[in-house]
């Protein structure tokens, strides 16, 4: 309503900059006609337009093909701001700081798990904490939390929750060196103390999958993926710790930078001016929460290895349960990108968007420097998920980013009216041979496959634009959630 888009070329749509309205850049939506229709159905386009008001925004605010409305800034949104003269916005990172996914490989074939799904899903559900207030795999003191916030997966390695290869196959080797644990609120640390190694509720899940398709043989070989292989996908974030941190900083920013925030069309975009104390503090705190989330996913992966050892009666090393990669999809990072022919340091906000760096970027681990990083895109518990590799065009088009999922088309409230968890669960088992176990039926209804966009279409657009290239597709075998 009232937002006009013009087509730049196939899959690229632009909201032109209107300076009289206060837009500091145009906005772009990367989508097919079908996806654009769905994206236009909620507040995403308005939120994307609002994001162009962020001081120091570079080139254009971007919506990925899976975009849907979020808090202030769309989920599936990318916004890069000048790290020196721009701003940083907690709303453009999201409440679940470093929500993300990791994929662990195995050398098991689908026939090794077929017929044993129930046993496997029960064992996983029994051993991996899910839901609200379930506790964590590790529960420690605030001092422990501080060590986790500082060290990330290095802490996990020192405490025998990880092997060195796990660090080498995690974005940023599982540690943001800019972390400032002292800037994370005390209350957040208290909440995090008992949640290290826990999935949480709602959208978070652990899913055993099988590889159904390989699209780029050469890249799949580098990634160690073959058809029929069993893999495990883990999706969760920084739990109450990240949420509390985001909430406290949004409140402080609104208080201490009210003039700055008042210039923005939506208070939920609340941003702190680059260089201010609060911007620095938030960045340090956010980086610490990022480390916490990586440790969270690491402990869950470690526990999953033990569950597989019990169920299949072999060592995890013998089952080659190695981490393919761990990618963050709620994050802001200082990165250097070329803007108008000049290298510039930016805060790249990716909220419900995944880094998709192509071959050559120095940030990539040695294993992927020559092929591009693995990008992991979950679909739903009744549809495929994808492994992509960072595309050559991502740096010029999207500040090195692509989608993070299929993206919702239906609100949680609507989903609970349209679906009943028990029915969804039965249909998945009987029609698709997918075994789901959750703490609550409402969660299954909220996450029913029908609430999501078509992941095949999202990935097709990413591939066609050359920002993230299709490597392999997977399909769920069994799934646990909160
Ligand atoms: P978000 O981080 O935005 O909550 O979710 C990321 C994506 O995960 C969603 O857009 C959706 O496509 C996907 N997703 C949600 N639930 C499931 C699930 O149970 N299994 C799989 N494979 N993907 C899911
Ligand atoms: Mn999350
Ligand atoms: Mn997520």
């Amino acid at each position: 309503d009232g937002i006009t888009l013009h087509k730049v070329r196939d899959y690229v749509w632009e909201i032109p900059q209107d300076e009289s309205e206060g837009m500091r850049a145009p906005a772009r939506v990367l989508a097919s006609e079908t996806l654009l229709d769905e994206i236009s159905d909620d507040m995403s386009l308005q939120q994307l337009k609002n994001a162009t008001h962020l001081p120091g925004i570079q080139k254009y605010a971007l919506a990925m093909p899976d975009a849907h409305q979020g808090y202030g800034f769309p989920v599936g949104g990318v916004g890069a701001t000048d790290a020196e003269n721009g701003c940083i916005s907690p709303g453009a990172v999201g409440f679940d700081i470093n929500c993300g996914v990791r994929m662990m490989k195995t050398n098991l074939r689908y026939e090794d798990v077929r017929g044993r799904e129930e046993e496997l899903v029960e064992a996983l559900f029994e051993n991996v904490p899910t839901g609200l207030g379930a506790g964590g795999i590790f529960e420690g003191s605030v001092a422990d939390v501080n060590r986790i916030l500082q060290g990330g997966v290095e802490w996990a390695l020192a405490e025998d929750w990880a092997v060195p290869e796990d660090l080498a196959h995690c974005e940023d080797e599982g540690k943001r060196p800019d972390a400032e644990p002292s800037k994370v609120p005390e209350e957040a640390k208290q909440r995090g103390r008992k949640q290290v190694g826990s999935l949480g509720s709602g959208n978070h899940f652990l899913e055993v999958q099988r590889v159904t398709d390989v699209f780029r043989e050469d890249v799949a070989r580098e990634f160690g993926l073959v058809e029929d292989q069993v893999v495990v996908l883990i999706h969760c974030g920084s739990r109450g710790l990240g949420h509390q941190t985001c909430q406290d900083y949004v409140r402080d920013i609104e208080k201490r930078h009210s003039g700055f925030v008042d210039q923005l069309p939506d208070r939920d975009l609340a941003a702190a001016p680059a260089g201010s104390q609060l911007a620095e503090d938030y960045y340090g705190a956010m980086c610490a929460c990022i480390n916490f989330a990586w440790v969270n996913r690491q402990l869950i992966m470690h526990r999953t290895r033990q569950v597989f050892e019990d169920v299949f009666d072999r060592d995890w090393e013998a089952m080659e349960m190695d981490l393919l990669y761990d990618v963050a999809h709620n994050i802001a990072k200082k990165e250097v990108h070329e803007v108008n022919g000049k290298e510039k340091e930016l805060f790249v906000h990716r909220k419900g968007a995944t880094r998709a760096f192509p071959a050559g970027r120095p940030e990539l681990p040695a294993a992927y420097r020559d092929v591009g990083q693995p990008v992991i895109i979950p679909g739903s518990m009744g549809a495929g998920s994808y492994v992509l590799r960072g595309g050559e065009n991502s740096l010029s088009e999207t500040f090195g980013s692509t989608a993070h999922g299929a993206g919702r088309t239906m609100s949680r409230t609507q989903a609970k009216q349209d679906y009943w968890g028990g029915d969804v669960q039965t249909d998945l088992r009987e029609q698709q041979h997918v075994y789901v176990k959750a703490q609550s039926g409402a969660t299954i209804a909220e996450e029913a496959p029908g609430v999501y966009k078509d992941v095949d279409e999202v990935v097709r657009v990413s591939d066609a634009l050359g920002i993230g290239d299709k490597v392999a597709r997977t399909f769920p075998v069994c799934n646990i959630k909160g």
Side-chain angles (χ1 to χ4, degrees), residues 121-141:
V121 80
E122 291 293 339
L124 288 165
F125 196 72
E126 190 76 11
N127 288 288
V128 177
T130 56
L132 294 170
I137 291 169
F138 172 83
E139 298 185 8
S141 62

Side-chain angles (χ1 to χ4, degrees), residues 9-50:
R9 58 177 196 276
D10 280 354
Y11 310 120
V12 182
W13 309 84
E14 188 159 288
I15 308 174
Q17 180 182 3
D18 183 342
E19 279 173 69
S20 70
E21 278 188 45
M23 289 172 75
R24 296 172 192 263
R28 284 189 170 191
V29 182
L30 307 182
S32 59
E33 261 93 357
T34 334
L35 291 170
L36 185 61
D37 275 349
E38 291 177 320
I39 293 169
S40 307
D41 264 353
D42 62 18
M43 292 297 292
S44 325
L45 294 181
Q46 185 61 52
Q47 291 184 336
L48 183 67
K49 197 172 159 186
N50 293 345

Side-chain angles (χ1 to χ4, degrees), residues 23 28 53 99 101 103 114 153 255 331-332 397 418 467:
M23 289 172 75
R28 284 189 170 191
H53 293 240
C99 192
V101 282
M103 182 178 278
R114 179 105 204 208
V153 188
K255 248 193 274 170
I331 204 162
E397 298 298 320
D418 287 17
I467 57 176

Side-chain angles (χ1 to χ4, degrees), residues 17 20 102 142 157 161 182 218 286 335 346 375 394 422 429 470:
Q17 180 182 3
S20 70
R102 62 168 56 194
V142 167
L157 179 65
W161 298 101
S182 66
D218 52 338
M286 181 197 42
E335 288 173 5
L346 309 175
V375 174
S394 74
R429 194 174 57 235
K470 280 159 66 165

